[in-house]
């Protein structure tokens, strides 16, 4: 579907909504407020965006910025009101509706006595961001259940400004691009789980070869504004924080299974409880498939959290994680000839390829309250990741001449120059082991500078990382032993210090000012490599370097009314170069600067009426030096990085939510329509020549101008639910030259736009504590190119049907 059609449909939706509102304005005037009230904390602080739910109905609302709320059109009777907000104890209140009389409720939250101490990227008591200086998204547990995802990519696309590229259809290795940045291996995004980095080496090799499984998450936070300077090291595109469930105050548990074609199975067991002063939350995920696209995998993921209430001032959290994956993930994809011929989209070109990923993690989090105004949060963590990848060698040449060690297997078409892929009887084993350890104390101080309300955050981060990398060449396909041809160790020591102060200039205006200092000391120790004209030799090549940077940022929030919030900010983007890019294989230190940019944004969010919510943000990201990746995962040769020069990213991202049940006066049905749309223009902004062609003004690779995600959601009091989701991605280029005609090997060329529809139907049987669902991904069976990386075309997942069941206890 072309972008014009989507825009037309969007305009039609707006027109229909407006016309319907015109027709129903008299009906709206007749709506009756039956319950109203105000919610605040024990110390009198109003609680914006607390969740109010009328249990057993689809009626519910959020509190306004001043803590007030209204619920309309309930029949006479006695109801139970559930009131919840992050950071406070959930409570219930009985209320009686009789004869059109308004029931006034003045409700007071108590803060959670014991909560898991952890660092989140969004303020604990401001999940809908009335005071966050910048564009943010929070995807909660309810939304995750509604999506019924097989891949975390489906969830991330629910945030405006986020472009996610599928690689194998299951999201085992996420590729996130924010606001036009290159999505390859999410290098320009800081990815966290419960505030702890999850990349292989956060500073020296920030690739996402391991991605937290969305199946076990309670929510996802995405932060793109100036507030991200508190985090690091990556503060260019944004911060994505996966949130796992915390120990509950009372017993909670569930068993969830999902199955589908190709032998797909996902099973999750959750249990949590609190025993005296100790809380626990444990989950076990088993996920596998025999044939989803060409992918076969088996994942075991075990996580547990413990919360120890030491005393009234202090809590200690402990988290343990074990992850093991065996999959046939591969870099090689089909070529353009095979794609054009059809019928070969999911051919396993290298059936012996195997990726083994194991990850062991431990983290401690501690919270200490000196008094009501001073709090110290400390997090310490360590994890190891082993990523051993067995990949069969292959050869491509213009003359279609088989190599000497050819297995006899050929793909493609030998009648077309360069159209054949010859599988070689050899294997490259890329064996890598990573270790990371860090500690981060963060002090939060509420103070009264200039007799105004201030919130000061200061902290430091110490991090150590090490990567051991070997390449072992096997003499046959599929073997894991052979000749050690490369062996090296890369180490890094990082120190960061930051401070940010938020000052409430008035009840309507907040201003944030912050700064972070980064120091990264890294070393590359090359112990064995192949020397041109000499061959493979043991060697001693050691080189190191130090990069230092000051990263400032500031932002504001202005709330002229209870329905409107303006926000904006500016911050310096920063990302250190990968260690193996900054120091060559000969031990030469390149003059490779940190990746730097100045990022600006300005936006607003508003609840125009009780049935429309809107957020719109303009952004402008000016890179003085963007490092273009040349790793194999990005389709490059893996060496030769230089300071790539200036790029410019500007555009608008927007999100709108229409509560059609409020618009049409539906009392027993919740009907929502939402859409997030992003326009981003990402181009090279300085002279740079490739093959004597100046690419100044060209679009950057894998940066679509348009990407849109939209959903229509239905929920009834009887427990029936349904959702239809549309995801549109505009056309993209696979190289800096913006080549339109595809290369024969499929790695270069324009990627056409595509539209994918997903559908989910569910039924919640409350008396059985059960939920059933059927999900259909790619409902229309759209055939499209998802990516031309790393080494050939990956076709998007075809129509895929799953059915699931959840039992809660």
């Amino acid at each position: 579907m072309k972008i014009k059609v989507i825009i037309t449909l969007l305009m039609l939706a707006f027109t229909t909504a407006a016309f319907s509102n015109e027709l129903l304005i008299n009906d709206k005037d007749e709506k009756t407020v039956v319950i109203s009230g105000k919610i605040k904390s024990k110390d009198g602080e109003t609680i914006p965006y607390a969740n109010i739910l009328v249990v057993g109905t689809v009626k519910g609302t959020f509190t306004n910025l001043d803590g007030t709320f209204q619920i309309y059109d309930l029949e006479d009777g006695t109801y139970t009101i559930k009131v919840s907000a992050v950071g406070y104890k959930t409570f219930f209140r009985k209320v009686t509706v009789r004869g059109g009389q308004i029931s006034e409720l003045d409700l007071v939250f108590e803060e959670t006595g014991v909560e898991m101490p952890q660092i989140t990227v969004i303020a604990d008591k401001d999940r809908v961001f009335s005071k966050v200086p910048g564009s943010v998204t929070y995807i909660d547990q309810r939304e995750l259940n509604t999506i019924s995802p097989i891949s975390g990519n489906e969830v991330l696309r629910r945030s405006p400004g986020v472009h996610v590229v599928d690689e194998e259809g299951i999201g085992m290795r996420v590729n996130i691009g924010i606001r036009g940045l290159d999505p390859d291996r999410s290098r320009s995004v800081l990815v966290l789980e419960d505030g702890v980095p999850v990349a292989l080496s956060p500073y020296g090799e920030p690739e996402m070869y391991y991605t937290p499984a969305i199946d076990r998450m309670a929510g996802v936070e995405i932060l793109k504004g100036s507030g991200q300077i508190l985090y690091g090291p990556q503060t260019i595109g944004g911060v994505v924080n996966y949130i796992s469930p915390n120990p509950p105050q009372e017993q909670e548990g569930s068993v969830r299974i999902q199955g589908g074609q190709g032998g797909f199975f996902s099973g999750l067991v959750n249990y949590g409880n609190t025993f005296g002063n100790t809380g626990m939350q444990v989950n076990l995920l088993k996920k596998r498939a025999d044939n989803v696209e060409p992918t076969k995998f088996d994942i075991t993921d075990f996580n547990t959290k413990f919360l120890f209430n030491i005393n009234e001032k202090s809590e200690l959290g402990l988290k343990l994680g074990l992850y093991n994956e065996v999959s046939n993930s591969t870099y090689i994809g089909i070529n353009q000839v095979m794609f054009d011929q059809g019928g070969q989209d999911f051919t396993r070109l290298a059936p012996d390829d195997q990726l083994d990923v194991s990850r062991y993690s431990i983290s401690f989090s501690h919270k200490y309250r000196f008094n009501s105004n001073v709090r110290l949060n400390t997090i310490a963590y360590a994890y190891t990741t082993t990523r051993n990848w067995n990949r069969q060698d292959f050869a491509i040449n213009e003359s279609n001449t088989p190599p000497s060690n050819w297995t006899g297997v050929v793909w493609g078409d030998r009648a077309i120059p360069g159209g054949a892929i010859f599988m070689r009887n050899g294997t490259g084993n890329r064996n890598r082991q990573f270790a990371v350890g860090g500690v981060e104390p963060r002090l939060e101080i509420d103070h009264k500078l200039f007799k105004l309300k201030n919130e000061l955050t200061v902290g430091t981060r110490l991090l150590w990382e090490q990567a051991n990398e070997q390449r072992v060449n096997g003499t046959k396909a599929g073997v894991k032993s052979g000749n050690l041809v490369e062996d090296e160790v890369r180490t890094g020591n990082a120190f960061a210090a930051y401070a940010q102060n938020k000052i409430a200039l008035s009840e309507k205006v907040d201003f944030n000012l912050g700064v972070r200092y980064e120091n990264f000391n890294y070393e590359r120790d090359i112990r064995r490599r192949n020397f041109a004209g000499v061959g493979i030799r043991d060697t001693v090549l050691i080189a190191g370097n130090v990069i230092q940077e000051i990263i400032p940022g500031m932002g504001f929030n202005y709330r002229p009314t209870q329905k409107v919030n303006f926000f904006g900010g500016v911050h310096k983007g920063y990302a250190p170069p990968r260690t193996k890019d900054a120091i060559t294989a000969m031990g030469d230190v390149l003059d490779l600067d940190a990746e730097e940019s100045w990022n600006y944004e300005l936006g607003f969010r508003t609840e125009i009426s009780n049935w429309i919510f809107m957020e719109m943000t303009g952004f402008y990201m000016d890179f003085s030096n963007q490092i273009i990746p040349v790793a194999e995962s990005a389709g490059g040769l893996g060496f030769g990085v230089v300071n790539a020069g200036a790029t410019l990213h500007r555009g608008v991202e927007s999100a709108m939510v229409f509560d059609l049940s409020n618009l049409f006066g539906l009392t027993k049905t919740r009907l929502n329509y939402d859409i997030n749309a992003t326009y981003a223009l990402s181009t090279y902004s300085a002279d740079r020549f490739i093959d004597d062609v100046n690419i100044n003004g060209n679009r950057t690779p894998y940066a679509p101008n348009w990407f849109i995600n939209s959903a229509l959601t239905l929920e009834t009091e009887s427990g029936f639910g349904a959702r239809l989701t549309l995801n549109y991605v505009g056309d993209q280029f696979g190289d800096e030259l913006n080549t339109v005609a595809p290369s024969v090997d499929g790695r270069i060329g324009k990627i056409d736009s595509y539209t994918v529809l997903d559908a989910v139907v569910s039924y919640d049987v409350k008396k059985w504590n059960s939920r059933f669902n059927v999900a259909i991904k790619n409902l229309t069976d759209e055939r499209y190119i998802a990516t031309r990386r790393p080494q050939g075309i990956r076709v998007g997942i075809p129509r895929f049907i799953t059915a699931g069941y959840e039992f809660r206890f």
Side-chain angles (χ1 to χ4, degrees):
M1 185 183 294
K2 300 296 184 184
I3 186 66
K4 282 187 200 177
V5 178
I6 294 178
I7 294 175
T8 302
L9 290 175
L10 176 59
M11 293 175 65
L12 180 61
F14 280 114
T15 305
T16 302
F19 184 66
S20 300
N21 188 39
E22 194 76 26
L23 290 176
L24 296 175
I25 190 165
N26 292 332
D27 181 62
K28 182 179 176 182
D29 288 343
E30 295 173 1
K31 291 178 70 176
T32 304
V33 177
V34 291
I35 303 173
S36 66
K38 189 170 187 177
I39 296 182
K40 54 190 176 182
S41 66
K42 287 180 66 176
D43 59 9
E45 178 187 8
T46 58
I47 310 298
Y49 298 105
N51 189 10
I52 317 296
L53 176 66
V54 183
V55 178
T57 76
V58 295
K59 289 291 185 180
T61 187
F62 290 99
T63 55
N64 300 314
L65 289 173
D66 61 355
T68 60
F69 69 93
Q70 299 83 33
I71 295 176
Y72 298 85
D73 295 339
L74 281 173
E75 298 176 356
D76 286 359
T78 300
Y79 298 91
T80 300
I81 304 295
K82 180 182 178 181
V83 185
S84 60
V86 174
Y88 296 95
K89 290 181 180 178
T90 298
F91 65 91
F92 297 85
R93 181 68 56 85
K94 291 284 188 182
V95 61
T96 299
V97 175
R98 183 173 296 126
Q101 297 289 324
I102 299 177
S103 297
E104 294 280 353
L105 301 178
D106 193 8
L107 305 175
V108 178
F109 263 124
E110 288 188 14
E111 292 201 29
T112 302
V114 181
E115 57 183 285
M116 193 77 180
Q118 63 189 42
I119 293 174
T120 55
V121 304
I122 301 168
D124 282 347
K125 298 168 189 174
D126 192 29
R127 287 295 192 198
V128 195
F129 332 125
S130 63
K131 299 179 182 178
V132 174
S135 176
V136 289
T137 303
Y138 176 58
I139 301 168
D140 61 14
Q141 181 70 70
R142 181 175 179 175
E143 175 68 5
L144 293 178
N145 291 339
T146 302
I147 296 172
S148 296
I150 62 170
S151 164
N153 296 352
E154 301 167 56
V155 175
L156 297 172
R157 292 188 181 108
R158 298 292 291 155
S159 173
V162 177
H163 171 49
V164 191
V165 175
D166 282 325
E167 182 174 331
E168 77 297 297
I170 299 298
M172 292 184 289
R173 271 152 291 285
V174 70
N175 296 281
I176 306 170
I178 292 180
R179 294 176 172 174
L181 293 176
D182 196 306
D184 182 57
R185 291 286 179 262
S186 307
R187 288 187 182 93
S188 297
V189 179
L190 176 62
V191 182
L192 311 171
E193 181 178 331
D194 295 329
V196 175
V198 297
L200 297 177
S201 293
Y203 281 80
E205 196 157 347
E207 280 83 356
M208 291 298 296
Y209 282 97
Y210 158 81
T211 302
I214 198 67
D215 311 66
R216 60 179 178 83
M217 294 302 157
V220 181
E221 301 171 314
I222 302 169
L223 174 63
K224 291 163 281 184
S226 61
Q228 64 180 288
I229 67 162
L230 294 181
Y231 308 92
Q234 317 291 331
T235 50
I236 290 180
V239 182
V240 176
N241 187 34
Y242 292 84
I243 304 172
S244 62
N246 286 330
Q249 296 180 1
E250 298 178 352
Q251 176 176 283
E252 291 181 7
S254 66
V255 178
R256 186 192 314 157
I257 58 174
Q258 194 90 6
Q261 60 211 77
F264 175 79
F265 171 81
S266 175
L268 179 68
V269 179
N270 270 309
Y271 178 77
N273 205 348
T274 296
F275 307 93
N277 293 332
T278 302
M280 67 170 292
Q281 172 71 44
V282 60
N283 61 66
L284 175 63
L285 170 67
K286 185 67 174 180
K287 195 170 184 179
R288 65 173 307 280
D290 297 319
N291 188 20
V292 178
E293 294 186 317
T295 306
K296 177 180 180 180
F297 66 91
D298 192 308
I299 293 173
T300 302
D301 192 359
F302 173 80
N303 284 267
T304 185
K305 283 183 176 180
F306 294 96
L307 171 60
F308 305 99
N309 182 19
I310 299 173
N311 54 49
E312 62 181 14
K313 288 190 172 185
S314 181
E315 291 100 39
L316 174 67
L318 167 64
K319 181 181 177 184
L320 299 169
L322 306 172
Y323 176 89
N324 188 73
E325 171 198 333
V326 179
S327 70
N328 69 339
S329 294
T330 183
Y331 268 15
I332 185 173
I334 64 174
N335 62 20
Q336 190 68 41
V337 176
M338 299 173 70
F339 180 78
D340 291 341
Q341 290 175 345
Q344 306 170 76
D345 291 352
F346 308 117
T347 302
R348 291 179 177 172
L349 306 183
D352 293 322
D353 282 11
Q354 180 172 307
L355 173 61
D356 298 332
V357 178
S358 59
R359 188 176 190 271
Y360 305 94
S361 61
I362 183 172
S363 63
F364 296 91
S365 52
H366 181 259
K367 183 173 185 176
Y368 185 81
R369 291 174 289 275
F370 293 93
N371 54 52
S372 59
N373 295 322
V374 182
R375 302 165 297 278
L376 176 64
N377 292 283
T378 304
I379 190 165
Y381 51 88
Y383 60 90
T384 65
T385 309
T386 299
R387 196 223 74 173
N388 293 339
W389 207 335
N390 177 296
R391 301 208 304 263
Q392 184 178 354
D393 298 330
F394 61 93
I396 301 173
N397 56 71
E398 283 294 315
S399 62
N400 287 332
T401 303
S404 58
N405 62 342
W406 180 33
T407 63
V409 176
V410 59
W411 303 104
D413 192 338
R414 296 182 68 175
I416 299 174
I421 304 172
F422 298 96
M423 305 310 298
R424 300 171 60 185
N425 200 23
T427 299
N429 293 283
R430 287 85 166 172
N431 298 333
R432 302 178 185 177
Q433 300 83 40
F434 300 87
V436 176
V439 61
E440 182 173 351
R442 176 179 293 193
L443 191 64
E444 299 173 350
I445 304 171
D446 299 334
H447 61 99
K448 293 289 186 179
L449 182 66
F450 306 125
K451 297 183 180 180
L452 297 172
K453 182 180 179 181
N454 287 255
E455 299 175 17
L456 174 65
T457 301
V458 295
T460 60
R461 179 176 59 254
L462 296 170
L463 186 142
W464 169 87
E465 60 184 34
Q466 184 176 85
N468 294 270
E469 182 171 327
Q470 304 84 30
R471 177 170 174 135
V472 178
N473 283 347
T475 56
K476 291 185 178 181
V479 300
K480 295 187 177 181
S481 61
N483 301 320
L484 179 66
V485 296
E486 295 176 8
D487 187 14
E488 65 176 85
V489 178
R490 299 186 295 273
T491 56
N493 294 281
F495 169 78
Y498 54 83
Q500 178 174 277
N501 189 68
K502 180 169 71 175
I503 181 171
L505 299 176
S506 69
E507 289 186 359
K508 295 184 176 182
V509 181
D510 300 321
F511 181 75
N512 289 42
L513 183 63
V515 65
R516 185 172 94 247
Y517 167 75
E518 286 279 2
N519 179 292
F520 181 45
N521 187 332
Y522 56 92
E523 179 183 272
R524 186 175 185 182
D525 178 2
I526 302 171
R527 301 174 178 181
R528 187 174 176 85
R529 67 177 300 272
N530 192 354
F531 292 88
V534 178
I536 300 167
R537 293 288 186 272
D538 291 333
T539 186
V540 179
L541 290 172
I542 302 176
N545 199 9
V546 179
I547 287 183
Q548 303 182 71
E549 197 72 42
I550 300 291
I551 302 108
M554 65 182 197
F556 74 92
N557 262 283
Y558 171 52
R559 301 173 294 277
T561 72
Q562 296 297 328
K563 299 290 187 181
V564 180
N565 177 27
F566 292 95
F567 59 85
V570 55
H571 75 278
K572 188 175 184 179
Y574 165 82
R578 297 193 312 166
T579 301
K580 64 181 179 182
D581 292 338
I583 301 172
T584 71
M586 291 298 294
D588 297 325
V589 179
L590 299 177
D591 185 18
L592 197 60
D593 300 325
E595 198 163 359
E596 297 179 4
S597 66
W598 281 100
N599 302 346
Y600 308 84
E601 70 171 10
L602 181 65
F604 71 92
R605 54 181 70 95
T606 178
E607 188 178 7
I608 300 173
S609 72
N610 71 335
W611 62 274
I612 300 180
F613 173 84
M614 171 187 286
E615 178 175 320
M616 185 170 291
T617 308
F619 58 86
Y620 186 92
M621 297 167 21
D622 187 3
F623 281 83
S624 59
N625 177 46
Q626 183 174 161
I627 298 172
I628 305 300
V630 296
E632 287 184 87
S633 62
L637 299 175
F639 59 86
V641 159
V642 295
N643 291 325
T647 62
L648 196 60
H649 307 256
R650 60 275 196 203
V652 177
E653 60 188 35
S654 61
M656 298 192 72
V657 180
F658 299 86
D659 189 337
L660 301 179
S661 51
N662 274 342
L663 172 63
F664 297 127
L666 305 176
T667 59
K668 298 184 181 295
T669 301
R670 180 182 293 273
L671 182 64
N672 286 338
Y673 172 70
D674 67 75
I675 182 167
N676 73 70
T678 302
Y679 173 77
L681 181 59
S682 302
T683 58
Y684 295 98
S685 56
D687 290 341
R688 179 167 170 249
F689 290 86
I690 298 177
D691 298 332
D692 296 325
V693 176
N694 190 350
I695 64 170
N696 188 358
N698 282 13
R699 286 166 55 184
T700 58
Y702 288 88
N705 285 150
W706 282 96
F707 41 103
I708 298 172
N709 189 276
S710 182
L712 182 66
T713 308
L714 172 70
E715 179 185 344
T716 70
E717 284 188 8
S718 64
F720 175 79
R723 168 174 285 186
L724 182 65
T725 302
L726 177 148
N727 190 66
Y728 170 84
V729 178
D731 58 41
Q732 309 165 66
F733 290 106
D735 67 338
E736 296 98 326
L737 293 172
N738 289 182
T739 306
V740 175
S743 60
V744 176
D745 63 12
R747 302 182 193 182
I748 293 174
K750 186 178 179 182
I751 300 174
D752 291 332
S753 62
Y754 58 87
T755 303
V756 176
L757 290 172
D758 297 336
V760 180
V761 177
S762 64
Y763 187 61
D764 199 322
V765 187
K766 293 181 173 59
K767 65 179 180 179
W768 295 351
N769 294 327
S770 296
R771 181 176 183 267
F772 302 85
N773 75 80
V774 175
I776 307 175
K777 310 301 178 184
N778 195 356
L779 183 67
T780 60
D781 204 20
E782 173 93 352
R783 181 176 183 250
Y784 62 96
I785 295 176
T787 179
R788 295 182 180 274
R789 290 173 173 172
Q791 295 171 333
I793 293 171
R794 304 297 178 95
V795 180
I797 191 169
R799 184 186 295 117
F800 191 80
I801 303 173
T802 63
Y805 170 71
E806 180 184 25
F807 175 71
R808 303 176 297 271
F809 59 90

